[in-house]
Amino acid sequence: MSDSFHGISIGTERRQSDIYLTLTLSGKLTHEDYITITPIIEEVIKTVKSPQVYALIDAIDFKGWELRAMWDDFQIVLSHSHEFKRVAIYGGKKWHRLAALIVNWVISGEVKYFRDKNQAILWIENKS
């Protein structure tokens, strides 16, 4: 993979008031990536009166953020901190685990780091 390749792909699914987001992060994210993705996330969340968001973040090819993109990410998480119920971060780098710990301080729900994608999916799906 080239270092210049970057972006965010998103999958969304709604089950009553539960919203499932699947985000795949690649390369080093830019502000422009967030200009594209933020309205999608906002639109999905606002379709439900009291949403409960379950997110799977695939960070295996994620290299980090440009400074402004990091701020964009923080704003999304902060503005919806009470709506996130579970966030699974799947990755392979030590700093991915640290990112999970930081996000856990900001949102009211649970955040957990996984090195195995199937375990991350099972944890997100098991809401008990």
Side-chain angles (χ1 to χ4, degrees):
M1 175 188 304
S2 167
D3 287 340
S4 64
F5 179 77
H6 65 88
I8 306 172
S9 66
I10 184 169
T12 64
E13 181 181 343
R14 181 177 161 198
R15 301 178 199 162
Q16 288 95 27
S17 63
D18 295 344
I19 296 170
Y20 291 83
L21 300 176
T22 303
L23 299 147
T24 303
L25 314 177
S26 300
K28 189 171 188 175
L29 300 181
T30 67
H31 175 66
E32 290 73 24
D33 295 323
Y34 284 90
I35 288 173
T36 302
I37 203 76
T38 301
I40 297 168
I41 293 170
E42 297 290 341
E43 187 64 32
V44 170
I45 290 175
K46 80 176 186 180
T47 62
V48 177
K49 185 176 180 180
S50 297
Q52 295 188 44
V53 179
Y54 299 85
L56 171 65
I57 300 171
D58 182 339
I60 203 75
D61 292 323
F62 181 48
K63 307 272 191 271
W65 304 264
E66 291 180 351
L67 187 56
R68 188 164 178 192
M70 186 182 293
W71 177 248
D72 294 332
D73 193 85
F74 181 72
Q75 286 182 303
I76 292 170
V77 171
L78 195 58
S79 66
H80 297 288
S81 63
H82 61 286
E83 296 159 343
F84 282 99
K85 298 303 171 196
R86 281 199 169 176
V87 177
I89 299 175
Y90 158 64
K93 298 177 179 66
K94 288 182 182 180
W95 70 268
H96 292 159
R97 183 184 303 270
L98 177 61
L101 289 171
I102 292 168
V103 172
N104 203 33
W105 294 334
V106 178
I107 71 167
S108 61
E110 300 175 80
V111 180
K112 196 168 177 183
Y113 170 80
F114 295 86
R115 291 186 65 92
D116 180 274
K117 190 172 186 174
N118 291 326
Q119 287 179 349
I121 293 168
L122 288 173
W123 183 74
I124 285 291
E125 292 289 331
N126 181 11
K127 298 181 290 183
S128 59

